[in-house]
């Protein structure tokens, strides 16, 4: 059955691969971006650009543009990454990561909640760096904080959306070779998206609110 898949941060990396692979499966794809890219334009999917998901007015405009559409899969993928430590602190970057990585996915889900079909799925692209138990090195303070906050929000949303038949997944993509990490990862964006799509297929109301590695491993909070 054809589904409508909406993906934020879709102009490159994992988001672009989500678009490519869902399109190849025959689904209707809407890419939400600040700026499109030649690679995204070549996919011939619906593109909504000039949307900064951290800005209230932009997300309100997104909701208006989606007014007549139903969403079956919402993937909150947009994110930013920087490294702060006590020795090298940048509070503006720390706050920006909280705004984009933690608050924005909640803002988008809130704005589009009425468009989610019964049985819809919401995927939050988080990180195992948001795991408090798994933190064995420190640093990356803003990124870790933002992903831990996103995990907390995702669990709350899973509880609140369950009565409507909507499931929520918190998904770690792996250490992916993307521009965000200067292509230093150990898995390609294509392989990561393939695995994440499988995890979204497996998502249901029974496992809603769980924190998964893209390889299927349950991750510690």
């Amino acid at each position: 059955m054809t589904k409508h898949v909406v993906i934020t941060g879709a102009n490159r990396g994992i988001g672009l691969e989500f678009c490519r692979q869902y399109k190849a499966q025959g689904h209707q794809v809407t890419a939400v971006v600040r700026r499109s890219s030649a690679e995204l334009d070549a996919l011939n999917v619906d593109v909504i650009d000039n949307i900064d998901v951290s800005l209230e007015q932009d997300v309100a405009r997104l909701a208006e543009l989606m007014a007549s559409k139903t969403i079956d899969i919402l993937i909150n993928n947009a994110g930013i990454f920087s490294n702060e430590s006590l020795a090298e602190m940048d509070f503006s970057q720390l706050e920006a990561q909280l705004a984009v990585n933690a608050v924005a996915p909640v803002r988008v889900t809130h704005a589009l909640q009425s468009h989610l079909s019964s049985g819809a799925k919401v995927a939050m692209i988080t990180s195992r760096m948001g795991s408090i138990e798994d933190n064995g090195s420190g640093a990356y303070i803003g990124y870790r904080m933002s992903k831990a906050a996103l995990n907390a929000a995702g669990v709350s949303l899973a509880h609140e959306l369950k009565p409507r038949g909507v499931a929520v997944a918190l998904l770690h993509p792996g250490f992916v070779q993307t521009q965000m990490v200067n292509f230093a990862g150990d898995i390609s964006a294509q392989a990561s998206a393939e695995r994440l799509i499988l995890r979204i297929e497996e998502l249901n109301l029974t496992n809603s609110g769980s924190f998964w590695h893209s390889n299927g491993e349950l991750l510690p909070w």
Side-chain angles (χ1 to χ4, degrees):
M1 187 176 81
T2 301
K3 292 180 168 57
H4 181 204
V5 186
V6 176
I7 304 153
T8 67
N11 64 333
R12 67 187 190 197
I14 300 169
L16 180 66
E17 276 299 325
F18 272 130
C19 292
R20 180 177 288 117
Q21 293 183 34
Y22 275 118
K23 175 73 173 180
Q25 291 178 10
H27 298 299
Q28 178 189 356
V29 175
T30 299
V32 180
V33 296
R34 287 184 299 166
R35 292 177 300 278
S36 191
S37 63
E39 294 84 357
L40 178 59
D41 292 339
L43 295 181
N44 195 30
V45 300
D46 295 329
V47 177
I48 300 177
D49 60 6
N50 295 313
I51 300 292
D52 182 334
V53 292
S54 69
L55 298 179
E56 180 180 0
Q57 63 269 26
D58 284 14
V59 175
R61 186 167 68 85
L62 171 63
E64 291 175 3
L65 292 170
M66 298 290 293
S68 61
K69 299 180 179 179
T70 299
I71 301 170
D72 300 299
I73 300 174
L74 171 61
I75 303 177
N76 286 295
N77 169 72
I80 59 174
F81 173 86
S82 64
N83 183 10
E84 303 81 35
S85 65
L86 280 177
E88 298 287 340
M89 180 56 66
D90 184 334
F91 282 103
S92 64
Q93 284 298 311
L94 185 152
E95 291 171 354
Q97 288 172 98
L98 287 169
V100 175
N101 298 346
V103 178
V106 178
R107 190 186 300 280
V108 170
T109 305
H110 177 266
L112 300 180
Q113 62 182 309
S114 63
H115 303 280
L116 296 171
S117 63
S118 178
K121 300 179 180 185
V122 177
M124 303 292 200
I125 305 305
T126 182
S127 171
R128 73 183 306 158
M129 290 181 74
S131 168
I132 295 171
E133 182 179 337
D134 192 58
N135 183 352
S137 64
Y140 302 98
I141 292 174
Y143 192 73
R144 292 185 188 279
M145 289 173 65
S146 68
K147 294 302 188 179
L150 176 59
N151 288 350
V155 173
S156 285
L157 291 174
H159 287 300
E160 294 196 43
L161 289 170
K162 189 172 185 177
R164 292 185 45 198
V166 176
V168 179
L170 296 150
L171 299 173
H172 168 60
F175 186 26
V176 186
Q177 297 157 350
T178 63
Q179 185 176 333
M180 180 183 281
V181 294
N182 294 317
F183 303 98
D186 55 24
I187 182 176
S188 69
Q190 177 183 350
S192 177
E194 287 173 357
R195 300 196 312 190
L196 291 167
I197 287 170
L198 290 176
R199 303 289 81 79
I200 293 169
E201 288 178 2
E202 294 168 354
L203 174 63
N204 57 58
L205 294 178
T206 301
N207 59 26
S208 182
S210 297
F211 182 19
W212 298 95
H213 193 295
S214 63
N215 65 13
E217 173 191 357
L218 265 177
L219 293 172
W221 299 111

